């Protein structure tokens, strides 16, 4: 059992965070962006950054090469749909995508938007850890949480009104 600190400060005790989220045991801030038979997209539960979406497989796998053909198609369609929504609804110009196979969770991709305030930490992949920690430690307040939830609502409504 792992101890996970959520952006709200609450502690979740789970074997696998992605399994806990996709099953509903842990509720992501703002709810689900979009869910299909194979994937679940939601706001990151640890870092309160507006538009930071996690696209997680429902099936407990670790690598791209474990995806079925149907999962591969669903994955790329969801990734591009969410990215379009980030751009059109939240005005997010740039996104960093992260996926790693040595995670303790299962297969998921982080879609981390880049905002002006993040430039103080640099503009490379190395800047992301300080950005995430800053968000957890400095943006964990009611006003920002409201913006994060609002962003997820806007993404969800935009995607719901378009077919993928």
């Amino acid at each position: 059992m792992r101890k996970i600190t959520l952006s709200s400060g609450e502690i979740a005790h789970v074997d696998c965070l992605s399994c806990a989220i996709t099953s509903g045991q842990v509720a992501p801030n703002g709810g689900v962006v979009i869910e299909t038979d194979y994937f679940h997209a939601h706001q990151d539960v640890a870092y309160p950054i507006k538009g930071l979406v996690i696209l997680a497989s429902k099936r407990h796998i670790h690598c791209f090469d474990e995806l079925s053909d149907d999962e591969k198609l669903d994955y790329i369609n969801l990734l591009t749909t969410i990215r379009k929504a980030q751009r059109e609804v939240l005005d997010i110009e740039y996104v960093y995508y992260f996926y790693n196979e040595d995670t303790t969770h299962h297969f998921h991709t982080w879609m981390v938007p880049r905002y002006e305030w993040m430039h103080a930490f640099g503009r490379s992949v190395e800047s992301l850890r300080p950005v995430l920690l800053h968000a957890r430690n400095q943006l964990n307040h009611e006003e920002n949480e409201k913006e994060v939830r609002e962003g997820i609502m806007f993404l969800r409504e935009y995607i719901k009104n378009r077919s993928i």
Side-chain angles (χ1 to χ4, degrees):
M1 192 73 66
R2 295 183 43 224
K3 180 176 112 174
I4 306 290
T5 303
L6 306 178
S7 65
S8 65
E10 293 177 66
I11 304 295
H13 296 278
V14 297
D15 289 324
C16 173
L17 181 59
S18 292
C19 285
I21 292 170
T22 60
S23 72
Q25 180 186 350
V26 171
N29 190 6
V32 178
V33 174
I34 185 170
E35 186 171 6
T36 65
D37 290 342
Y38 304 112
F39 290 93
H40 186 280
H42 54 273
Q43 171 72 34
D44 186 277
V45 296
Y47 304 106
I49 298 172
K50 185 177 181 177
L52 194 170
V53 175
I54 302 297
L55 181 56
S57 67
K58 288 184 173 180
R59 195 163 59 91
H60 196 104
I61 60 171
H62 292 279
C63 306
F64 273 123
D65 62 351
E66 295 176 65
L67 292 171
S68 70
D69 288 340
D70 289 340
E71 288 169 328
K72 290 175 202 173
L73 289 173
D74 194 35
Y75 174 76
I76 198 65
N77 285 334
L78 285 170
L79 207 61
T80 56
T81 298
I82 294 164
R83 179 60 186 108
K84 182 173 181 148
Q86 287 173 317
R87 181 185 325 279
E88 295 196 9
V89 176
L90 301 181
D91 254 352
I92 295 171
E93 188 174 352
Y94 299 109
V95 170
Y96 287 162
Y97 299 86
F98 292 95
Y99 144 77
N100 62 318
E101 294 179 353
D102 65 348
T103 180
T104 55
H105 315 315
H106 65 243
F107 182 88
H108 65 283
T109 300
W110 295 37
M111 300 174 72
V112 184
R114 290 295 296 189
Y115 290 106
E116 285 293 321
W117 66 264
M118 296 175 175
H119 296 176
F121 299 94
R123 289 189 59 107
S124 73
V125 70
E126 294 171 349
S127 71
L128 262 290
R129 185 68 180 151
V131 161
L132 294 172
L133 292 175
H134 174 82
R136 176 182 273 174
N137 297 325
Q138 304 300 318
L139 299 179
N140 201 358
H141 52 79
E142 190 174 324
E143 183 180 327
N144 187 61
E145 288 291 332
K146 182 181 176 198
E147 282 188 39
V148 167
R149 285 189 303 275
E150 186 177 78
I152 293 304
M153 180 193 68
F154 289 151
L155 291 174
R156 181 175 42 250
E157 288 304 312
Y158 177 90
I159 292 168
K160 185 171 85 173
N161 292 323
R162 280 142 188 86
S163 59
I164 57 172

